[in-house]
Amino acid sequence: IISMSPLNVGIVGATGAVGKEIIGCLEKKGCSFPINNLRLFGSKRSAGRKIETCKFGNIAIELFSEEATRECDVIFLAVDGDFSLAHAENICKGDDGPIVIDNSSAFRYKDGIPLVIPEINAETTKRKKLIANPNCTTAIGLMAIWPLHKLFGLSKMVMSTYQAASGAGQPGMDELMEGTRAVLNGERDVAEHKVFAHPLPFNVIPHIDKFQDNGYTKEEMKVTWETRKICGLADDFPVSCTAVRIPTARAHSENIVALFERPVDLAAARKALEEAPGVKLVDDVENLKYPMPLTATGQYDVEVGRLRQNIAFDNALEFFVCGDQLLRGAALNAVLVAEAMVKNGSLKAKNAT
């Protein structure tokens, strides 16, 4: 733990899936910064409710107000984009405002606001007050891409995703579980659907978020836009994605074909992935070891495997990635951003001299 004055930490949206995981990360991960006080903020519906934590005791949820959050040193926003747009900049404004780390898409593409995966571009957080967390799909994939990009120089990327129901929040998970149960019990031939465009049990749906004019969905374009910004690539850098919802509960999977400027070396690629922080190489096909949602769920590291030279393109690698989208793709990434900002001096207690 870094020697410093303890921080007052706040979470807005503490009862949601990401908010709960942020609490879990602050408790279990062993943060590199000391915490003086953890405050949880919510809506009128959840205000007054008590959340039980191992490390911080029972915490009563406070009714959200910008004034109350500004008393903290750092605020994690685990809310939707509209809420963030309405409040994030007001919370962090001025020298006396806290650092705000926003999990929504509200500020990801705004100039001057860093979009951060700490293992890649932590330096962009220096002297900033508002930080955007990336889309979960991008965060998981780039953990594997970045060490290979440093080694061989990425020139193009094609990604296909296999995304869990919980990417659509608790309602998505409930619809999958209840629909599966109804079909297996013989209550229905095909499950009902409200959250997803079609029934998800015993199905896959090649449609996540709204379709854009170019035929891609917004989820797919998020991967393109965010890869460019996080990795410091050109605005027209070629990245293509197809995003598919599958009937698993948690952890997203991705197949990635990465083309490089320089000749690829499989042994060097394997070594780079083995040594990369936040990455676990799971690639022993003789013993049937490869990334899967079952093994990636609840894990902080992103699993990477099925690593091979692509036989259709020159200087290309193909591999499979699996990561817990609520952790690496959201809560864990946000906590790591805070740690990086403590280390670079951007985040400190207001009462620190």
Side-chain angles (χ1 to χ4, degrees):
I1 293 179
I2 294 171
S3 178
M4 60 177 287
S5 298
L7 298 175
N8 292 313
V9 177
I11 303 171
V12 182
T15 60
V18 174
K20 288 176 185 174
E21 293 294 348
I22 292 173
I23 296 171
C25 288
L26 293 173
E27 284 196 299
K28 300 170 197 167
K29 184 181 170 296
C31 286
S32 62
F33 55 85
I35 296 173
N36 175 52
N37 188 27
L38 178 63
R39 297 174 67 179
L40 308 179
F41 301 95
S43 63
K44 286 181 181 175
R45 192 180 60 205
S46 57
R49 225 176 102 190
K50 288 202 171 176
I51 300 286
E52 197 176 317
T53 73
C54 299
K55 190 173 178 181
F56 308 106
N58 290 346
I59 306 173
I61 297 175
E62 303 174 47
L63 180 62
F64 167 80
S65 73
E66 291 178 359
E67 294 75 19
T69 56
R70 283 178 61 81
E71 295 167 3
C72 297
D73 299 306
V74 59
I75 288 289
F76 295 99
L77 291 182
V79 289
D80 63 33
D82 289 340
F83 188 98
S84 292
L85 281 172
H87 299 290
E89 290 174 304
N90 289 338
I91 293 171
C92 68
K93 71 180 177 183
D95 293 338
D96 57 341
I99 298 293
V100 172
I101 300 169
D102 178 34
N103 274 280
S104 81
S105 61
F107 299 99
R108 287 177 187 157
Y109 316 118
K110 191 167 180 180
D111 288 343
I113 294 179
L115 178 64
V116 179
I117 297 175
E119 290 86 349
I120 298 176
N121 63 338
E123 72 282 352
T124 61
T125 65
K126 206 154 190 182
R127 293 184 293 278
K128 297 291 186 179
K129 297 295 294 288
L130 175 57
I131 312 297
N133 230 21
N135 177 265
C136 52
T137 315
T138 310
I140 290 165
L142 290 190
M143 289 299 295
I145 281 289
W146 182 251
L148 300 174
H149 170 54
K150 288 196 292 182
L151 202 57
F152 306 120
L154 190 68
S155 63
K156 292 179 183 176
M157 181 173 78
V158 179
M159 177 189 290
S160 300
T161 77
Y162 313 83
Q163 297 181 223
S166 56
Q170 192 63 45
M173 184 120 61
D174 292 344
E175 183 166 294
L176 171 65
M177 297 302 182
E178 290 161 13
T180 302
R181 195 176 295 114
V183 172
L184 290 176
N185 288 344
E187 297 167 24
R188 298 184 63 88
D189 292 332
V190 178
E192 292 181 300
H193 63 97
K194 292 179 182 174
V195 176
F196 302 111
H198 299 277
L200 187 57
F202 310 101
N203 194 22
V204 298
I205 305 171
H207 171 197
I208 302 176
D209 213 331
K210 295 175 182 175
F211 280 98
Q212 309 292 290
D213 291 342
N214 62 358
Y216 285 79
T217 65
K218 192 172 183 184
E219 179 78 3
E220 293 160 352
M221 290 309 300
K222 285 176 185 176
V223 173
T224 298
W225 298 328
E226 294 177 22
T227 296
R228 291 167 177 169
K229 183 170 180 178
I230 293 167
C231 296
L233 302 169
D235 289 344
D236 61 352
F237 188 90
V239 174
S240 179
C241 176
T242 298
V244 181
R245 187 74 70 191
I246 66 169
T248 52
R250 183 160 166 170
H252 291 346
S253 305
E254 303 168 6
N255 189 73
I256 298 175
V257 178
L259 283 68
F260 297 97
E261 295 167 353
R262 296 183 286 279
V264 297
D265 178 275
L266 211 52
R270 184 178 297 276
K271 185 171 184 287
L273 290 168
E274 284 174 337
E275 294 174 354
V279 172
K280 181 182 180 184
L281 188 64
V282 183
D283 197 17
D284 181 4
V285 293
E286 286 184 11
N287 292 300
L288 310 184
K289 302 285 187 186
Y290 28 69
M292 296 184 296
L294 202 62
T295 49
T297 293
Q299 301 300 310
Y300 287 157
D301 289 347
V302 169
E303 294 185 350
V304 185
R306 296 294 321 277
L307 180 66
R308 60 208 187 272
Q309 284 192 254
N310 179 283
I311 58 175
F313 302 105
D314 293 334
N315 302 336
L317 293 171
E318 187 160 357
F319 47 92
F320 198 73
V321 181
C322 200
D324 191 314
Q325 87 283 1
L326 291 174
L327 291 172
R328 179 76 255 184
L332 175 66
N333 197 81
V335 172
L336 290 173
V337 167
E339 289 188 350
M341 297 185 76
V342 166
K343 287 173 188 168
N344 70 27
S346 301
L347 171 55
K348 53 192 172 186
K350 292 177 189 174
N351 60 7
T353 53

